[in-house]
PDB file of all heavy atoms in Angstrom:
ATOM      1  N   ASN A 103     103.386  79.545 143.937  1.00  0.00           N
ATOM      2  CA  ASN A 103     102.979  78.455 143.045  1.00  0.00           C
ATOM      3  C   ASN A 103     101.592  78.738 142.462  1.00  0.00           C
ATOM      4  O   ASN A 103     100.867  79.622 142.930  1.00  0.00           O
ATOM      5  CB  ASN A 103     103.005  77.116 143.788  1.00  0.00           C
ATOM      6  CG  ASN A 103     102.097  77.157 144.995  1.00  0.00           C
ATOM      7  OD1 ASN A 103     100.991  77.682 144.928  1.00  0.00           O
ATOM      8  ND2 ASN A 103     102.562  76.614 146.111  1.00  0.00           N
ATOM      9  N   VAL A 104     101.265  77.975 141.453  1.00  0.00           N
ATOM     10  CA  VAL A 104     100.018  78.216 140.720  1.00  0.00           C
ATOM     11  C   VAL A 104      98.794  78.038 141.617  1.00  0.00           C
ATOM     12  O   VAL A 104      97.873  78.874 141.597  1.00  0.00           O
ATOM     13  CB  VAL A 104      99.937  77.266 139.500  1.00  0.00           C
ATOM     14  CG1 VAL A 104      98.565  77.322 138.858  1.00  0.00           C
ATOM     15  CG2 VAL A 104     101.011  77.634 138.487  1.00  0.00           C
ATOM     16  N   ASP A 105      98.776  76.979 142.427  1.00  0.00           N
ATOM     17  CA  ASP A 105      97.589  76.732 143.267  1.00  0.00           C
ATOM     18  C   ASP A 105      97.331  77.896 144.219  1.00  0.00           C
ATOM     19  O   ASP A 105      96.199  78.365 144.359  1.00  0.00           O
ATOM     20  CB  ASP A 105      97.773  75.445 144.091  1.00  0.00           C
ATOM     21  CG  ASP A 105      97.687  74.222 143.196  1.00  0.00           C
ATOM     22  OD1 ASP A 105      97.248  74.383 142.034  1.00  0.00           O
ATOM     23  OD2 ASP A 105      98.070  73.128 143.647  1.00  0.00           O
ATOM     24  N   GLY A 106      98.398  78.343 144.875  1.00  0.00           N
ATOM     25  CA  GLY A 106      98.252  79.454 145.820  1.00  0.00           C
ATOM     26  C   GLY A 106      97.787  80.720 145.118  1.00  0.00           C
ATOM     27  O   GLY A 106      96.925  81.450 145.626  1.00  0.00           O
ATOM     28  N   LEU A 107      98.328  80.954 143.948  1.00  0.00           N
ATOM     29  CA  LEU A 107      97.965  82.169 143.212  1.00  0.00           C
ATOM     30  C   LEU A 107      96.504  82.103 142.741  1.00  0.00           C
ATOM     31  O   LEU A 107      95.763  83.082 142.842  1.00  0.00           O
ATOM     32  CB  LEU A 107      98.919  82.352 142.019  1.00  0.00           C
ATOM     33  CG  LEU A 107      98.681  83.581 141.153  1.00  0.00           C
ATOM     34  CD1 LEU A 107      98.629  84.870 141.965  1.00  0.00           C
ATOM     35  CD2 LEU A 107      99.768  83.700 140.076  1.00  0.00           C
ATOM     36  N   ARG A 108      96.096  80.927 142.263  1.00  0.00           N
ATOM     37  CA  ARG A 108      94.691  80.786 141.819  1.00  0.00           C
ATOM     38  C   ARG A 108      93.734  81.024 142.981  1.00  0.00           C
ATOM     39  O   ARG A 108      92.677  81.637 142.820  1.00  0.00           O
ATOM     40  CB  ARG A 108      94.459  79.386 141.243  1.00  0.00           C
ATOM     41  CG  ARG A 108      95.023  79.252 139.844  1.00  0.00           C
ATOM     42  CD  ARG A 108      94.559  77.958 139.212  1.00  0.00           C
ATOM     43  NE  ARG A 108      95.156  77.812 137.898  1.00  0.00           N
ATOM     44  CZ  ARG A 108      95.449  76.656 137.331  1.00  0.00           C
ATOM     45  NH1 ARG A 108      95.209  75.521 137.963  1.00  0.00           N
ATOM     46  NH2 ARG A 108      95.981  76.614 136.125  1.00  0.00           N
ATOM     47  N   LYS A 109      94.097  80.541 144.151  1.00  0.00           N
ATOM     48  CA  LYS A 109      93.251  80.721 145.348  1.00  0.00           C
ATOM     49  C   LYS A 109      93.105  82.217 145.645  1.00  0.00           C
ATOM     50  O   LYS A 109      92.008  82.720 145.899  1.00  0.00           O
ATOM     51  CB  LYS A 109      93.916  79.992 146.520  1.00  0.00           C
ATOM     52  CG  LYS A 109      93.063  79.866 147.735  1.00  0.00           C
ATOM     53  CD  LYS A 109      93.643  78.801 148.672  1.00  0.00           C
ATOM     54  CE  LYS A 109      92.967  78.861 150.031  1.00  0.00           C
ATOM     55  NZ  LYS A 109      93.523  79.837 150.941  1.00  0.00           N
ATOM     56  N   LEU A 110      94.212  82.917 145.574  1.00  0.00           N
ATOM     57  CA  LEU A 110      94.197  84.364 145.852  1.00  0.00           C
ATOM     58  C   LEU A 110      93.359  85.103 144.803  1.00  0.00           C
ATOM     59  O   LEU A 110      92.614  86.044 145.122  1.00  0.00           O
ATOM     60  CB  LEU A 110      95.647  84.870 145.844  1.00  0.00           C
ATOM     61  CG  LEU A 110      95.976  86.112 146.660  1.00  0.00           C
ATOM     62  CD1 LEU A 110      95.516  86.000 148.104  1.00  0.00           C
ATOM     63  CD2 LEU A 110      97.483  86.378 146.618  1.00  0.00           C
ATOM     64  N   LYS A 111      93.466  84.669 143.560  1.00  0.00           N
ATOM     65  CA  LYS A 111      92.676  85.301 142.493  1.00  0.00           C
ATOM     66  C   LYS A 111      91.176  85.099 142.747  1.00  0.00           C
ATOM     67  O   LYS A 111      90.370  86.011 142.528  1.00  0.00           O
ATOM     68  CB  LYS A 111      93.058  84.712 141.121  1.00  0.00           C
ATOM     69  CG  LYS A 111      94.362  85.283 140.569  1.00  0.00           C
ATOM     70  CD  LYS A 111      94.921  84.462 139.447  1.00  0.00           C
ATOM     71  CE  LYS A 111      94.328  84.738 138.098  1.00  0.00           C
ATOM     72  NZ  LYS A 111      95.058  84.051 137.008  1.00  0.00           N
ATOM     73  N   ALA A 112      90.832  83.891 143.217  1.00  0.00           N
ATOM     74  CA  ALA A 112      89.412  83.611 143.493  1.00  0.00           C
ATOM     75  C   ALA A 112      88.912  84.485 144.646  1.00  0.00           C
ATOM     76  O   ALA A 112      87.753  84.934 144.651  1.00  0.00           O
ATOM     77  CB  ALA A 112      89.238  82.136 143.824  1.00  0.00           C
ATOM     78  N   GLU A 113      89.778  84.745 145.599  1.00  0.00           N
ATOM     79  CA  GLU A 113      89.382  85.586 146.754  1.00  0.00           C
ATOM     80  C   GLU A 113      89.266  87.064 146.379  1.00  0.00           C
ATOM     81  O   GLU A 113      88.603  87.831 147.054  1.00  0.00           O
ATOM     82  CB  GLU A 113      90.425  85.435 147.882  1.00  0.00           C
ATOM     83  CG  GLU A 113      90.338  84.117 148.618  1.00  0.00           C
ATOM     84  CD  GLU A 113      91.587  83.827 149.466  1.00  0.00           C
ATOM     85  OE1 GLU A 113      92.419  84.739 149.654  1.00  0.00           O
ATOM     86  OE2 GLU A 113      91.719  82.684 149.918  1.00  0.00           O
ATOM     87  N   HIS A 114      89.968  87.464 145.324  1.00  0.00           N
ATOM     88  CA  HIS A 114      89.969  88.885 144.905  1.00  0.00           C
ATOM     89  C   HIS A 114      89.651  88.966 143.410  1.00  0.00           C
ATOM     90  O   HIS A 114      90.537  89.250 142.588  1.00  0.00           O
ATOM     91  CB  HIS A 114      91.337  89.511 145.189  1.00  0.00           C
ATOM     92  CG  HIS A 114      91.740  89.445 146.619  1.00  0.00           C
ATOM     93  ND1 HIS A 114      91.318  90.366 147.550  1.00  0.00           N
ATOM     94  CD2 HIS A 114      92.500  88.552 147.288  1.00  0.00           C
ATOM     95  CE1 HIS A 114      91.822  90.051 148.735  1.00  0.00           C
ATOM     96  NE2 HIS A 114      92.541  88.953 148.607  1.00  0.00           N
ATOM     97  N   PRO A 115      88.408  88.714 143.050  1.00  0.00           N
ATOM     98  CA  PRO A 115      88.077  88.608 141.615  1.00  0.00           C
ATOM     99  C   PRO A 115      88.287  89.896 140.821  1.00  0.00           C
ATOM    100  O   PRO A 115      88.410  89.838 139.600  1.00  0.00           O
ATOM    101  CB  PRO A 115      86.596  88.192 141.631  1.00  0.00           C
ATOM    102  CG  PRO A 115      86.108  88.509 143.009  1.00  0.00           C
ATOM    103  CD  PRO A 115      87.268  88.458 143.929  1.00  0.00           C
ATOM    104  N   ASN A 116      88.340  91.041 141.482  1.00  0.00           N
ATOM    105  CA  ASN A 116      88.536  92.296 140.725  1.00  0.00           C
ATOM    106  C   ASN A 116      90.008  92.690 140.569  1.00  0.00           C
ATOM    107  O   ASN A 116      90.327  93.679 139.915  1.00  0.00           O
ATOM    108  CB  ASN A 116      87.798  93.454 141.421  1.00  0.00           C
ATOM    109  CG  ASN A 116      86.309  93.214 141.409  1.00  0.00           C
ATOM    110  OD1 ASN A 116      85.777  92.646 140.453  1.00  0.00           O
ATOM    111  ND2 ASN A 116      85.637  93.596 142.488  1.00  0.00           N
ATOM    112  N   ALA A 117      90.859  91.937 141.219  1.00  0.00           N
ATOM    113  CA  ALA A 117      92.280  92.309 141.190  1.00  0.00           C
ATOM    114  C   ALA A 117      92.961  91.766 139.931  1.00  0.00           C
ATOM    115  O   ALA A 117      92.570  90.723 139.403  1.00  0.00           O
ATOM    116  CB  ALA A 117      92.974  91.738 142.422  1.00  0.00           C
ATOM    117  N   LYS A 118      93.969  92.493 139.467  1.00  0.00           N
ATOM    118  CA  LYS A 118      94.817  91.981 138.380  1.00  0.00           C
ATOM    119  C   LYS A 118      96.162  91.560 138.967  1.00  0.00           C
ATOM    120  O   LYS A 118      96.658  92.219 139.900  1.00  0.00           O
ATOM    121  CB  LYS A 118      95.004  93.045 137.299  1.00  0.00           C
ATOM    122  CG  LYS A 118      93.748  93.157 136.424  1.00  0.00           C
ATOM    123  CD  LYS A 118      93.962  93.976 135.187  1.00  0.00           C
ATOM    124  CE  LYS A 118      92.739  93.835 134.285  1.00  0.00           C
ATOM    125  NZ  LYS A 118      92.594  94.942 133.347  1.00  0.00           N
ATOM    126  N   VAL A 119      96.723  90.505 138.398  1.00  0.00           N
ATOM    127  CA  VAL A 119      97.983  89.989 138.949  1.00  0.00           C
ATOM    128  C   VAL A 119      99.169  90.651 138.258  1.00  0.00           C
ATOM    129  O   VAL A 119      99.277  90.646 137.031  1.00  0.00           O
ATOM    130  CB  VAL A 119      98.079  88.456 138.755  1.00  0.00           C
ATOM    131  CG1 VAL A 119      99.417  87.936 139.298  1.00  0.00           C
ATOM    132  CG2 VAL A 119      96.910  87.754 139.423  1.00  0.00           C
ATOM    133  N   VAL A 120     100.048  91.222 139.088  1.00  0.00           N
ATOM    134  CA  VAL A 120     101.327  91.726 138.592  1.00  0.00           C
ATOM    135  C   VAL A 120     102.409  90.814 139.189  1.00  0.00           C
ATOM    136  O   VAL A 120     102.502  90.683 140.405  1.00  0.00           O
ATOM    137  CB  VAL A 120     101.582  93.186 139.018  1.00  0.00           C
ATOM    138  CG1 VAL A 120     102.945  93.661 138.510  1.00  0.00           C
ATOM    139  CG2 VAL A 120     100.482  94.103 138.503  1.00  0.00           C
ATOM    140  N   ALA A 121     103.166  90.172 138.318  1.00  0.00           N
ATOM    141  CA  ALA A 121     104.220  89.264 138.802  1.00  0.00           C
ATOM    142  C   ALA A 121     105.578  89.834 138.463  1.00  0.00           C
ATOM    143  O   ALA A 121     105.837  90.231 137.328  1.00  0.00           O
ATOM    144  CB  ALA A 121     104.076  87.882 138.182  1.00  0.00           C
ATOM    145  N   TYR A 122     106.409  89.870 139.477  1.00  0.00           N
ATOM    146  CA  TYR A 122     107.813  90.178 139.265  1.00  0.00           C
ATOM    147  C   TYR A 122     108.334  89.127 138.282  1.00  0.00           C
ATOM    148  O   TYR A 122     107.874  87.977 138.297  1.00  0.00           O
ATOM    149  CB  TYR A 122     108.506  90.053 140.618  1.00  0.00           C
ATOM    150  CG  TYR A 122     109.876  90.642 140.758  1.00  0.00           C
ATOM    151  CD1 TYR A 122     110.341  91.644 139.923  1.00  0.00           C
ATOM    152  CD2 TYR A 122     110.710  90.192 141.778  1.00  0.00           C
ATOM    153  CE1 TYR A 122     111.603  92.170 140.087  1.00  0.00           C
ATOM    154  CE2 TYR A 122     111.975  90.720 141.954  1.00  0.00           C
ATOM    155  CZ  TYR A 122     112.415  91.703 141.103  1.00  0.00           C
ATOM    156  OH  TYR A 122     113.668  92.210 141.266  1.00  0.00           O
ATOM    157  N   ILE A 123     109.277  89.496 137.459  1.00  0.00           N
ATOM    158  CA  ILE A 123     109.763  88.556 136.435  1.00  0.00           C
ATOM    159  C   ILE A 123     110.397  87.312 137.083  1.00  0.00           C
ATOM    160  O   ILE A 123     110.491  86.264 136.464  1.00  0.00           O
ATOM    161  CB  ILE A 123     110.722  89.283 135.452  1.00  0.00           C
ATOM    162  CG1 ILE A 123     110.868  88.496 134.164  1.00  0.00           C
ATOM    163  CG2 ILE A 123     112.032  89.625 136.115  1.00  0.00           C
ATOM    164  CD1 ILE A 123     111.451  89.284 133.003  1.00  0.00           C
TER     165      ILE A 123
END
Side-chain angles (χ1 to χ4, degrees):
N103 58 42
V104 170
D105 288 347
L107 180 53
R108 283 190 183 150
K109 191 164 168 276
L110 206 53
K111 281 164 83 171
E113 286 165 12
H114 302 277
N116 296 326
K118 283 192 171 158
V119 178
V120 179
Y122 195 22
I123 199 164

